[in-house]
Every structure is written in structure tokens, then in C-alpha cells.
Amino acid sequence: MGRIVGIDLGTTNSVVAVLEAGRPQVIANAEGMRTTPSVVGFTKDSELLVGQAARRQLVLNPRNTFANLKRFVGRAWDELDDSSLSVPYTIRANDRGNVRVACPQMEREYAPEELVASILRKLVDDASTYIGESIEAAVITVPAYFDDAQRQATRDAGRLAGLEVERILNEPTAAALAYGFDRSAVKRVLVFDLGGGTFDVSLLRIANGVFDVKATNGDTQLGGNDFDQRIVDWLAAAFQEHHGIDLRRDRQALQRLTEAAEKAKQELSGVASTPISLPFIATGADGPLHIETRLDRTTFESLCPDLLDRLLLPVQTALRDSGWAAEDVDDVVLVGGSTRMPMVQQLVRTLIPHEPCQSVNPDEVVAIGAAVQ
Ligand code: ADP
Ligand code: MG
């Protein structure tokens, strides 16, 4: 019999984990990374790319590269809000009102779950190579607020990837499982999940292994990408002031700016200042131009106060909906790569008077919980 894995199918990144001798382990992909970008693309030669390779052509080949597909899985066209519609690729409604993704390179349309299936396929293929066993089944996580159609479409994606989907599990429940909270008698847990493009707050009541989602809230248009964009704008504005060139209008330059911004942001979670070096980013009248600068954490934080403000209301609303006061919360679990930012952790500490749980990597905790399940 094949193995069963846990999969966090994220909007930005996906992670797969497995139980090895009773202990959950994240499995690295073929590129050696523990998280895989949830991006699918086709090259100019119609080659299918999944993960980091697809992500690298996001800005360069925007009409044939598909990120953020999770926003469309299981959604009818008229359920989409305006902000979801503004992706760089073409989406449309088919005659049954379902969302379809158009791929000019392949001259065809895809259901979002078909493209998501190729992400699942890569995760599982890489994982089975790594553990040296076939993988037949998976527990896949979804946001707590996913409705039946979204859950069914996630199951369909698993089936299209050739997997038996053993269970669809709520992401916050998975995070709580990773911390073993199912073993405690009664607990009230706040799961604070800031990912790449979405923010989710969930309040869980856990009693004798039974998980009850008391309230969910969030912001579907807020995540790490917004913080990256602040650095892109900071770099581009300084460059424009010096050289009169807006790098954001050049796709090649924008791709490099975006990657450098995210890298700098991630480094600033660990160090107080980081170099940013982008040689040959443009050509001016006198030859090639370069970016050679430093960004410190204080400056970065001064670029983002409004983004932090937007984290407050969803937490307060979720608390109000659940009827709990901040003091009633027993534990706070940090989920999502963006909760590695010190400014985000500080904000959480001001909201709930408990030291947040972060012994499990926030970008892996959901997949680990799925493996435990
Ligand atoms: P999602 O659940 O949205 O698929 P993740 O939980 O993997 O995604 O979060 C991805 C986001 O986390 C990205 O914006 C990424 O830049 C950010 N991130 C990852 N590591 C760090 C870090 N060390 N510091 C700040 N942000 C980080
Ligand atoms: Mg996530």
C-alpha cells in the first residue's frame, strides 16, 4: 500500500509532510526547498512549469503564468469580488458560470482545479521520490471559511492529480493539531495566519479532541506581497529620482525588483539591515545603471504602518463574533510565513496578552498538522 501525506495547498506556497516513525516531517521538493510556490506556467515552448520555475517567469510571461489560483477554486464567476478579478492572466466565465483560466500559449482554457492538480502532482511526485515509496492518498487543508463547493473542488483537484483525498481539513485546525492541542481538555485558541496574499483569523474551541470553529475573519487582499510591494516602490522611487527612469515599467527589471524586495524583507526578519544589489538593472544615456543600497528594518517598518493597521480589525471582529475577550484566549498560534516579521509578532502581542506559539515553523505548521491528522 502507498503512503499517505498531509498537504497544505496554499495561495502562495504549498507544503507536503509525512509521518516518519510517528513524527511529522516536511519533505523537500526536487529543488531542495521545503515550500513550493503554488504557481503553474507554460513556457514559450509550451513546457509545463510548476513551483519555483514558474514563479520566476511570473512577471516576464504574465499571461501564461498562473499564481493565486486558490482564489478561484470552486468559485462561481458571480461570487468573485472585484479585487480577485485583477490578476495578470485572463479569467472568464464559461457558459455554466464557472471560472475558467485562459492560456494563450496552449490556446485553451483550464478549470482552476486542473491547474491546481498539477501543483499537487509535483508535490506528491517529488515527495514520493524523496521517501522512495509511492503516495496514494492525502489529507489536504483548506481555509476554515471554504464553502462546500470550494471543498469539493479541492477534492476534485486531488482526484485529477491521481490522489485519494482522505480528508479535507481546516487550516487552523491543522495548525492546532501540530501543537498537540487536541490532547488538552478544553482550550480556546486564536490562529493568526498571515500568508503571501491573504490574512485569516480563526478562533477555535477545542474540547476533548473536538474542534469547533467559533469565528473566522480576515482580509483576502492582505499578505506578504503587500510588504514586498512597499520595498519595490521604495527602490523604484529612489531610482527614478536619481535617474528619471521608472523601473516598474520594464518587466525584466520589475521581476528582479520584486524578487530582491521579497528577499530583503525575509532577511530583515532576522537581521537589522540588509544589502540590496541589482547590477545592470537599466540602461541610461551613459551606459548601464545599478542598484546598490541597504535597507534597514526601521525604514522597512516605516513603509508599512497602514498594512499593520489592517491586521487589527479582523482580530477584534472575530473576538466579538465569538463572544470572547482577549483574556479568554488560552493560546495564540502564528501561521504563515509573514508572521516571521518582527513587527507582525509585536502587533499580535499587543492584541492578546499571551506569548504566541511559534516553536513550529509558521510556513510549515499547517502541513505538519495535516500529516498528524
Ligand atoms: P500562503 O499560506 O499564502 O500560501 P505562506 O504561509 O508560505 O503562504 O507565506 C508566504 C509569505 O511569507 C510570502 O510573502 C513570503 O515572502 C513570506 N515569508 C516567508 N519567510 C519570511 C520571512 N523570513 N520574513 C518575512 N516574510 C516571510
Ligand atoms: Mg497558508
Side-chain angles (χ1 to χ4, degrees), residues 60-325:
L60 293 174
N61 190 358
R63 307 187 70 74
N64 296 296
T65 312
F66 311 110
N68 283 313
L69 289 160
K70 188 171 170 180
R71 295 185 192 278
F72 304 120
V73 165
R75 303 304 295 277
W77 181 262
D78 26 315
E79 288 171 337
L80 299 179
D81 47 37
D82 289 349
S83 42
S84 297
L85 297 175
S86 66
V87 284
Y89 48 89
T90 307
I91 50 172
R92 57 170 73 97
N94 69 2
D95 46 18
R96 297 164 72 194
N98 298 324
V99 179
R100 287 293 176 266
V101 176
C103 178
Q105 178 65 38
M106 303 306 284
E107 295 178 6
R108 60 161 284 196
E109 292 182 356
Y110 294 89
E113 45 279 19
E114 277 180 273
L115 294 167
V116 165
S118 35
I119 300 173
L120 291 171
R121 198 61 255 165
K122 175 190 166 52
L123 293 171
V124 165
D125 284 346
D126 287 4
S128 101
T129 306
Y130 188 90
I131 62 177
E133 280 177 74
S134 71
I135 293 168
E136 277 165 15
V139 171
I140 304 179
T141 58
V142 297
Y145 60 78
F146 256 30
D147 65 17
D148 288 342
Q150 291 169 296
R151 286 165 198 264
Q152 185 55 47
T154 305
R155 279 184 182 278
D156 293 344
R159 195 175 35 78
L160 288 170
L163 284 171
E164 191 174 318
V165 180
E166 287 286 330
R167 185 182 281 224
I168 295 288
L169 181 67
N170 286 333
E171 289 165 9
T173 301
L177 277 173
Y179 279 101
F181 289 158
D182 53 316
R183 294 191 293 266
S184 48
V186 181
K187 235 182 204 317
R188 291 169 166 180
V189 179
L190 185 148
V191 180
F192 184 103
D193 181 350
L194 188 61
T198 54
F199 172 46
D200 296 314
V201 188
S202 314
L203 295 177
L204 305 181
R205 184 174 183 280
I206 306 163
N208 305 311
V210 180
F211 289 75
D212 196 2
V213 180
K214 283 292 180 193
T216 63
N217 213 284
D219 186 333
T220 57
Q221 305 295 329
L222 177 64
N225 295 336
D226 299 290
F227 292 81
D228 302 345
Q229 188 59 44
R230 293 298 161 90
I231 302 179
V232 168
D233 289 337
W234 179 76
L235 289 167
F239 193 87
Q240 187 159 22
E241 201 178 16
H242 273 88
H243 305 292
I245 298 172
D246 186 356
L247 294 173
R248 286 162 293 195
R249 293 172 169 276
D250 170 1
R251 275 198 182 147
Q252 193 99 38
L254 180 60
Q255 174 85 41
R256 290 181 61 198
L257 273 182
T258 311
E259 288 171 10
E262 185 182 19
K263 182 164 166 279
K265 174 193 74 176
Q266 296 185 348
E267 285 170 0
L268 289 175
S269 296
V271 296
S273 168
T274 186
I276 300 175
S277 168
L278 289 159
F280 301 96
I281 191 75
T283 311
D286 302 323
L289 298 170
H290 320 288
I291 290 179
E292 203 59 66
T293 185
R294 290 195 76 84
L295 178 61
D296 59 48
R297 193 189 285 163
T298 321
T299 309
F300 172 44
E301 292 180 349
S302 74
L303 300 172
C304 314
D306 55 314
L307 297 179
L308 287 182
D309 284 346
R310 286 169 61 193
L311 297 168
L312 297 172
L313 190 62
V315 176
Q316 287 156 353
T317 310
L319 281 171
R320 184 157 28 86
D321 291 350
S322 68
W324 300 351

Side-chain angles (χ1 to χ4, degrees), residues 10-13 195-197 224-225 262 265-266 269 336-338 340-341 363:
T11 310
T12 319
N13 293 306
N225 295 336
E262 185 182 19
K265 174 193 74 176
Q266 296 185 348
S269 296
S338 301
R340 291 177 186 267
M341 286 187 282
D363 24 27

